[in-house]
Amino acid sequence: MEALIPVINKLQDVFNTVGADIIQLPQIAVVGTQSSGKSSVLESLVGRDLLPRGTGIVTRRPLILQLVHVEPGDARKNEEGGREGEDWGKFLHTKNQIFTDFEEIRQEIENETERISGNNKGISDDPIHLKIFSPHVVNLTLVDLPGITKVPVGDQPNDIEVQIKDLILKHISNPNCIILAVSAANTDMATSEALKVAREVDPDGRRTLAVVTKLDLMDAGTDAMDVLMGRVIPVKLGLIGVVNRSQLDINNKKTVADAIRDEHAFLQKKYPSLANRNGTKYLARTLNRLLMHHIRDCLPELKTRINVLAAQYQSLLSSYGEPVEDQSATLLQLITKFATEYCNTIEGTAKYIETAELCGGARICYIFHETFGRTLESVDPLGGLSTIDILTAIRNATGPRPSLFVPEISFELLVKKQVKRLEEPSLRCVELVHEEMQRIIQHCSNYSTQELQRFPKLHEAIVEVVTSLLRKRLPITNDMVHNLVAIELAYINTKHPDFADACGVMNNNIEAPPAGPQGEQDGTGNWRGMLKKGEEAPGSGPGSPLKGAVNLLDVPVPVARKLSSREQRDCEVIERLIKSYFLIVRKNIQDSVPKAVMHFLVNHVKDSLQSELVGQLYKSGLLNDLLTESEDMAQRRKEAADMLQALQKASQVIAEIRETHMW
């Protein structure tokens, strides 16, 4: 099982080549406040001084540190360019450059940090990758994160605390990550920021290992016995105490090996019963064991994740297509596919069915039977007509002579006015269908024909041709719908079978008008009957200038008054006739407009789309221009191919583990 950690390192190398972090590999993240001893713990595990030191935030980018144990004479040493008995390091960003001087490694970390994060103590989430090869280390993968801070210093942004916490949470939220929470023994463990952050993502402490540093700096008369025994802060993976080098030791060039010997002596003297379960060496062995078991538990899920991603990138790479060889065939194929998908979207047989909203033919159907149908049904047959309007129309149709019957011309005038109101919603129906036909273009571009994204100029040309075709059909369809309404207005068919019942109602309700002085009519004529009782006719009152000319146009039309029985009856008859005939016409319009739209717009575009695209675009002079790939397509194809290759390599690595029955 010891070989599991090199396997993870190999997987890390595979994904580093493509600069991807889509796979959350098992690792150990080191979390702690500034000056809690994080760097000293890491250097103790490596056995060398290699990390930058100073005041304030020193670690400003995540450092992914891979420790690789090598034996004398190991073939990997020669392959990596090292010599026997020598420790060395390699950075990902310096490719194959070998660092044997660890002071140079420290300087390279500082330079690379400033290159990305600047020199103003700002932070970045772009990690630095470093591999250390040594016979003195155990196989581990560690992530050194910036120290938790509260107050910005220098040119740091005011939200530096939030930035650092978000960066830490990004790494330790990985369920495959073991959290190494570092706290100083000379501080209150109950207020440890490292353990507090760890609990946010690991409330049960199942993947948290606590490390207590600076055991030798506790106040006189106190010790860390309760803390080391787990009585203060219980964590599932345990708690290990270590003794770091002091700043004076570092200034005096005290080696890590000497520090580890002094640490062992201190533990034997101060905590003899716990000495064998604490210290840097025990910490290294524990981390190695925990990481191996963690890797073993994560590998099955990791294999599934890699296989799923490989399938996704294979599909993505296929959608980018191969470089074009036969331009004519490719252009004709893309045109045909787009036309087919466009028609299939209308028919409801497209490969990609929209689930979030109605699209294509389904929306057109909704427009016809829901939007248009309900709009027509909401049109009141008598809307905009008052009783006075009807009565005025009747009187205007009789001319200078009083009529015995309701004049038919008044009915025609009024019903035409009402039928005309059906034209606006009918034309709006055409507009809505036209808009949906336009939306289908975008739908096909986004979902159905991803190959078009390779050729932006071809995509633009296809959109222009289809849009132009729709634009040409719109006025033709509008004219036809306008004619449908005009046809209804051209001839009011009072002999329509559905109108016969209404005519019978009218005839049954007509009675002979009262004769002589009975009723409301008197010798002054019908218009006088429009006055209210007690009112005088204009110009007939005392002092009126009847002796001179009377301007009858100045006579005001009464807005409201009580109608005579004859007038009431006439208005009711006209209202019934208008309503009956209007419903007949509305039914006709509701049926004929969708048919006209389908024939003149939808079906015509479907039938002529293929030939229109071929006629406009399938020309030898346009081939090179239309089939020019977008600038970033080649790059995206290369990135997808590299990622697919990396995933396939990772899958092979895991398959080799299965063959050796390592889990």
Side-chain angles (χ1 to χ4, degrees):
M1 194 167 63
E2 178 70 25
L4 285 176
I5 296 178
V7 167
I8 292 300
N9 290 342
K10 186 182 295 186
L11 290 177
Q12 184 72 60
D13 293 341
V14 168
F15 291 117
N16 285 345
T17 59
V18 291
D21 56 357
I22 58 173
I23 296 292
Q24 296 180 320
L25 296 174
Q27 58 189 11
I28 300 173
V30 186
V31 180
T33 58
Q34 291 183 26
S35 303
S36 62
K38 285 193 307 92
S39 297
S40 295
V41 170
L42 289 173
E43 288 181 338
S44 297
L45 293 174
V46 177
R48 289 294 195 105
D49 294 328
L50 78 161
L51 298 177
R53 291 182 176 274
T55 58
I57 300 179
V58 178
T59 304
R60 296 188 287 127
R61 290 177 60 185
L63 174 65
I64 298 180
L65 180 62
Q66 293 178 315
L67 304 183
V68 182
H69 177 77
V70 292
E71 298 291 346
D74 194 324
R76 282 180 299 175
K77 293 186 65 176
N78 295 327
E79 291 176 4
E80 299 293 345
R83 295 187 298 274
E84 290 189 11
E86 185 180 26
D87 303 343
W88 73 95
K90 287 178 58 178
F91 288 96
L92 177 64
H93 64 273
T94 60
K95 305 303 179 184
N96 294 323
Q97 183 178 355
I98 303 298
F99 292 83
T100 57
D101 186 346
F102 279 76
E103 186 61 35
E104 293 181 2
I105 292 179
R106 184 207 306 269
Q107 189 60 48
E108 182 62 29
I109 294 175
E110 293 179 355
N111 295 340
E112 182 65 10
T113 298
E114 291 188 2
R115 186 179 68 85
I116 299 297
S117 304
N119 55 7
N120 64 343
K121 299 297 183 180
I123 67 169
S124 169
D125 63 354
D126 186 16
I128 298 175
H129 294 266
L130 172 63
K131 294 179 74 172
I132 298 296
F133 300 85
S134 171
H136 309 296
V137 300
V138 295
N139 291 315
L140 282 177
T141 299
L142 302 161
V143 182
D144 186 20
L145 298 172
I148 302 171
T149 185
K150 291 292 184 181
V151 180
V153 295
D155 296 332
Q156 289 178 349
N158 293 331
D159 64 340
I160 187 68
E161 177 187 0
V162 177
Q163 289 187 27
I164 292 177
K165 184 174 180 180
D166 290 344
L167 176 59
I168 293 173
L169 290 175
K170 175 183 176 181
H171 283 268
I172 66 176
S173 296
N174 172 10
N176 295 334
C177 174
I178 295 176
I179 305 170
L180 190 64
V182 180
S183 303
N186 56 357
T187 60
D188 187 357
M189 293 295 293
T191 60
S192 169
E193 290 291 334
L195 291 172
K196 179 181 177 182
V197 172
R199 281 183 175 176
E200 291 187 25
V201 296
D202 184 31
D204 297 331
R206 296 184 181 278
R207 52 187 181 90
T208 300
L209 174 65
V211 174
V212 180
T213 62
K214 305 182 180 180
L215 292 176
D216 56 331
L217 299 182
M218 297 188 68
D219 293 339
T222 63
D223 61 32
M225 185 64 70
D226 288 342
V227 173
L228 297 178
M229 294 291 290
R231 297 168 184 165
V232 178
I233 303 294
V235 285
K236 294 291 193 304
L237 298 184
L239 191 149
I240 299 175
V242 296
V243 176
N244 301 328
R245 291 179 298 169
S246 66
Q247 188 61 47
L248 180 61
D249 292 336
I250 296 173
N251 295 338
N252 293 333
K253 305 298 183 181
K254 184 177 183 178
T255 66
V256 174
D258 291 340
I260 291 177
R261 283 195 297 269
D262 291 345
E263 175 193 54
H264 179 70
F266 174 84
L267 291 174
Q268 288 289 350
K269 178 181 178 181
K270 189 71 175 178
Y271 305 98
S273 62
L274 301 177
N276 62 339
R277 285 180 289 157
N278 289 277
T280 300
K281 290 186 176 181
Y282 180 77
L283 174 62
R285 292 194 302 270
T286 301
L287 290 175
N288 177 264
R289 175 178 53 82
L290 290 175
L291 186 57
M292 283 191 299
H293 284 86
H294 197 57
I295 292 172
R296 182 195 60 189
D297 296 338
C298 293
L299 276 180
E301 182 181 349
L302 193 61
K303 178 179 181 297
T304 302
R305 172 68 173 159
I306 289 175
N307 290 340
V308 170
L309 284 174
Q312 292 176 352
Y313 273 92
Q314 180 65 65
S315 176
L316 181 62
L317 186 61
S318 299
S319 70
Y320 292 153
E322 298 294 332
V324 177
E325 296 180 357
D326 188 339
Q327 291 186 329
S328 298
T330 300
L331 178 61
L332 187 59
Q333 178 185 7
L334 291 174
I335 288 176
T336 302
K337 184 171 184 179
F338 179 88
T340 301
E341 291 295 336
Y342 190 92
C343 296
N344 288 344
T345 302
I346 295 176
E347 295 295 334
T349 58
K351 180 180 179 181
Y352 297 91
I353 300 296
E354 182 67 58
T355 58
E357 60 178 354
L358 292 178
C359 177
R363 181 175 284 273
I364 293 175
C365 179
Y366 183 87
I367 292 171
F368 286 157
H369 302 292
E370 298 293 333
T371 306
F372 178 58
R374 290 181 179 178
T375 302
L376 290 187
E377 291 173 1
S378 67
V379 178
D380 183 4
L382 300 175
L385 285 181
S386 66
T387 303
I388 294 299
D389 293 335
I390 297 174
L391 188 59
T392 302
I394 294 174
R395 291 185 179 279
N396 286 336
T398 61
R401 298 171 300 280
S403 65
L404 297 177
F405 304 101
V406 177
E408 187 173 335
I409 188 65
S410 64
F411 160 71
E412 290 195 8
L413 291 173
L414 292 171
V415 81
K416 284 182 179 180
K417 178 182 177 182
Q418 298 306 98
V419 169
K420 183 69 174 175
R421 297 167 62 210
L422 298 175
E423 183 175 27
E424 182 179 352
S426 299
L427 294 175
R428 177 58 180 159
C429 176
V430 178
E431 182 181 352
L432 290 175
V433 174
H434 176 267
E435 291 175 358
E436 179 57 27
M437 299 282 283
Q438 193 73 35
R439 287 178 69 246
I440 296 176
I441 302 175
Q442 189 63 37
H443 173 82
C444 292
S445 301
N446 291 341
Y447 299 101
S448 304
T449 52
Q450 294 184 5
E451 294 93 335
L452 283 179
Q453 297 179 8
R454 293 178 58 192
F455 312 108
K457 292 186 177 180
L458 175 60
H459 178 252
E460 292 174 3
I462 289 178
V463 171
E464 179 59 32
V465 171
V466 181
T467 301
S468 177
L469 178 60
L470 291 171
R471 193 184 303 120
K472 287 190 296 185
R473 298 307 301 176
L474 182 59
I476 298 174
T477 309
N478 281 335
D479 289 344
M480 183 58 198
V481 171
H482 176 79
N483 287 336
L484 289 176
V485 178
I487 288 170
E488 296 291 347
L489 296 173
Y491 181 64
I492 304 301
N493 183 15
T494 56
K495 294 296 184 180
H496 192 285
D498 295 338
F499 193 61
D501 294 339
C503 290
V505 170
M506 180 186 72
N507 292 331
N508 292 335
N509 281 276
I510 292 179
E511 299 175 359
Q518 298 178 2
E520 297 285 334
Q521 298 192 19
D522 51 33
T524 61
N526 265 358
W527 69 270
R528 185 181 177 88
M530 298 174 67
L531 298 174
K532 297 180 180 178
K533 282 189 177 183
E535 289 184 348
E536 295 291 340
S540 62
S544 61
L546 274 178
K547 294 181 180 180
V550 178
N551 186 359
L552 295 180
L553 295 179
D554 289 339
V555 178
V557 177
V559 177
R561 65 177 177 80
K562 183 177 180 181
L563 301 181
S564 67
S565 59
R566 165 70 185 273
E567 290 171 338
Q568 182 71 34
R569 181 188 61 207
D570 290 350
C571 289
E572 289 178 357
V573 169
I574 291 296
E575 287 178 355
R576 292 180 187 177
L577 293 177
I578 292 173
K579 186 173 183 179
S580 177
Y581 195 82
F582 180 87
L583 294 178
I584 294 172
V585 175
R586 186 173 72 181
K587 183 178 179 181
N588 293 341
I589 294 296
Q590 191 170 352
D591 178 63
S592 58
V593 167
K595 292 179 178 178
V597 174
M598 286 299 298
H599 177 71
F600 287 93
L601 181 60
V602 180
N603 289 343
H604 187 279
V605 171
K606 281 172 50 184
D607 296 340
S608 60
L609 180 60
Q610 171 81 9
S611 59
E612 190 77 13
L613 288 171
V614 172
Q616 294 287 337
L617 304 179
Y618 193 65
K619 299 176 182 179
S620 58
L622 298 176
L623 289 177
N624 288 331
D625 187 48
L626 293 178
L627 294 180
T628 300
E629 283 191 323
S630 60
E631 296 180 357
D632 63 335
M633 181 55 67
Q635 179 64 25
R636 289 160 62 185
R637 185 189 295 110
K638 181 180 182 302
E639 290 175 356
D642 291 344
M643 180 57 70
L644 179 60
Q645 184 179 12
L647 290 167
Q648 290 172 341
K649 287 182 178 178
S651 182
Q652 292 174 358
V653 170
I654 295 180
E656 292 173 0
I657 303 174
R658 291 183 63 90
E659 291 176 0
T660 56
H661 306 286
M662 296 182 65
W663 95 70

